[in-house]
Amino acid sequence: VGAEVSGWLRRPHAPAARVRFDLLLDGAVAGSAEAATFREDLLQAFGTDGRHAFSLAVPSRWRDGQRHRVTLRVAGEADTRIENNNRDWLIPA
């Protein structure tokens, strides 16, 4: 987490399916994307096509040098949220 939020998402039960998600900052939707970018390490780790990565720019509204709650919400699954140990992230200005 910084000027962008990066990582990877995949469905273990459907590894070829791409995961669409919303980026929530402090509970508000700040963007949407699909985890579909290739990474060699994911190819090696999962033996799939390695296209599970994402990078999504943090809108300037939240790039203020303050701490913000960063959550990913899997599209179409209202109860599927990914938080990093309920930790707030310092997003640089």
Side-chain angles (χ1 to χ4, degrees):
V1 175
E4 57 188 35
V5 175
S6 303
W8 59 271
L9 296 168
R10 74 182 266 279
R11 298 177 187 277
H13 58 281
R18 303 295 172 230
V19 180
R20 290 206 52 76
F21 66 95
D22 296 320
L23 168 65
L24 298 133
L25 296 172
D26 298 332
V29 175
S32 298
E34 182 176 75
T37 301
F38 175 79
R39 274 187 21 194
E40 181 70 29
D41 63 327
L42 299 177
L43 172 72
Q44 298 303 318
F46 300 118
T48 61
D49 63 3
R51 299 179 58 84
H52 309 294
F54 67 87
S55 184
L56 188 61
V58 172
S60 59
R61 170 181 168 194
W62 284 281
R63 293 194 319 248
D64 57 6
Q66 302 297 312
R67 294 193 170 276
H68 297 281
R69 180 61 46 109
V70 177
T71 305
L72 300 181
R73 178 179 60 199
V74 176
E77 298 180 22
D79 295 331
T80 304
R81 295 175 185 250
I82 299 129
E83 294 185 293
N84 191 346
N85 300 318
N86 292 319
R87 173 182 167 202
D88 290 345
W89 290 85
L90 180 66
I91 299 177

